[in-house]
């Protein structure tokens, strides 16, 4: 995991890329795995957390933010955005907030996680028309890094955690 010079998580890269950055003097290593990589000229512990020496301005719309069913479920915490209940992925579907027949697009800001019951109840109506009060329109994830982390959420290495604890994503949920 690469942190920006500001200590914010920046991106996830393959360890080989991290070694190249290290050779280029671009990063400092904050933590390493136990594995050692060897080449004829060096032996090195595989870095697990590194930090850019210079601040990199993150791209506003990072192409890493891929729109996918799984990413939408993860963004919404597997919670139906209408009844607010949590379901396993196989019981969830995607719903167009503004229905397709009314020009609703398949985008981050128009697609939400939805359970089968709510999906049926909503039909081709807007949330307000279907009587779903308290519905909040979805947003596109602002940071390309977040989907990477979401996918890794269950298997994030221990050494990364101290640098992620401030993200609500990684705070232990109660109830
Ligand atoms: Zn529901």
């Amino acid at each position: 995991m690469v942190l920006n010079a500001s200590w914010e998580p920046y991106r996830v890269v393959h360890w080989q890329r991290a070694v190249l950055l290290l050779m280029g003097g671009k990063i400092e290593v904050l933590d390493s795995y136990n594995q050692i990589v060897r080449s004829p000229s060096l032996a090195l512990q595989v870095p697990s957390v590194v930090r850019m020496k210079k601040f990199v301005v993150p791209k506003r719309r990072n192409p890493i933010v891929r729109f996918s069913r799984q990413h939408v479920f993860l963004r919404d915490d597997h919670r139906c955005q209408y009844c607010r209940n949590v379901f396993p992925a196989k019981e969830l579907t995607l719903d167009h907030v503004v229905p397709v027949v009314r020009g609703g697009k398949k985008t981050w800001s128009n697609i939400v996680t939805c359970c089968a019951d709510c999906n049926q109840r909503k039909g081709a109506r807007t949330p307000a028309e279907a009587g779903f009060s308290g519905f909040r329109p979805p947003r596109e994830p602002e940071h390309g890094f977040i989907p990477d982390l979401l996918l890794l959420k269950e298997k994030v290495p221990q050494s990364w955690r101290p640098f992620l604890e401030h993200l609500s994503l990684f705070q232990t949920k109660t109830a």
Side-chain angles (χ1 to χ4, degrees):
M1 174 170 68
V2 182
L3 304 181
N4 214 331
S6 58
W7 294 88
E8 290 159 305
Y10 174 54
R11 54 190 299 207
V12 177
V13 298
H14 194 276
W15 67 264
Q16 289 171 336
R17 171 92 186 126
V19 170
L20 286 176
L21 287 169
L22 184 61
M23 296 296 158
K26 304 247 191 266
I27 55 172
E28 60 170 334
V29 176
L30 302 177
D31 207 343
S32 301
Y33 297 114
N34 287 327
Q35 295 105 303
I36 291 177
V37 279
R38 289 173 200 283
S39 78
S41 56
L42 95 167
L44 173 82
Q45 273 187 291
V46 177
S48 65
V49 183
V50 301
R51 176 173 169 242
M52 301 299 295
K53 287 184 179 170
K54 281 192 192 158
F55 184 76
V56 185
V57 179
K59 287 180 191 145
R60 208 171 150 268
R61 291 197 175 240
N62 193 321
I64 297 168
V65 189
R66 249 186 327 110
F67 179 85
S68 74
R69 178 185 176 86
Q70 192 185 14
H71 285 170
V72 173
F73 290 170
L74 288 166
R75 177 196 63 185
D76 296 340
D77 269 337
H78 289 77
R79 189 177 293 279
C80 170
Q81 296 300 292
Y82 300 121
C83 66
R84 310 298 301 170
N85 291 315
V86 174
F87 296 88
K90 63 178 183 340
E91 292 173 30
L92 287 169
T93 183
L94 298 180
D95 183 68
H96 287 74
V97 177
V98 175
V100 182
V101 292
R102 304 223 198 139
K105 299 273 190 312
K106 193 168 188 174
T107 58
W108 281 110
S109 54
N110 194 50
I111 296 284
V112 291
T113 302
C114 182
C115 73
D117 284 352
C118 290
N119 192 248
Q120 197 164 20
R121 179 176 155 198
K122 183 170 175 290
R125 297 179 293 178
T126 64
E129 287 166 355
F132 294 117
S133 56
F135 172 74
R136 277 168 295 157
R139 290 204 203 147
E140 177 172 0
E142 281 167 28
H143 204 304
F145 186 76
I146 301 303
D148 287 352
L149 282 181
L150 284 167
L151 288 179
L152 288 166
K153 195 169 172 182
E154 303 307 323
K155 43 185 176 180
V156 161
Q158 201 56 40
S159 57
W160 295 15
R161 294 191 178 261
F163 303 96
L164 299 171
E165 274 164 0
H166 63 288
L167 298 174
S168 59
L169 187 63
F170 282 87
Q171 279 156 14
T172 313
K173 293 198 178 79
T174 49

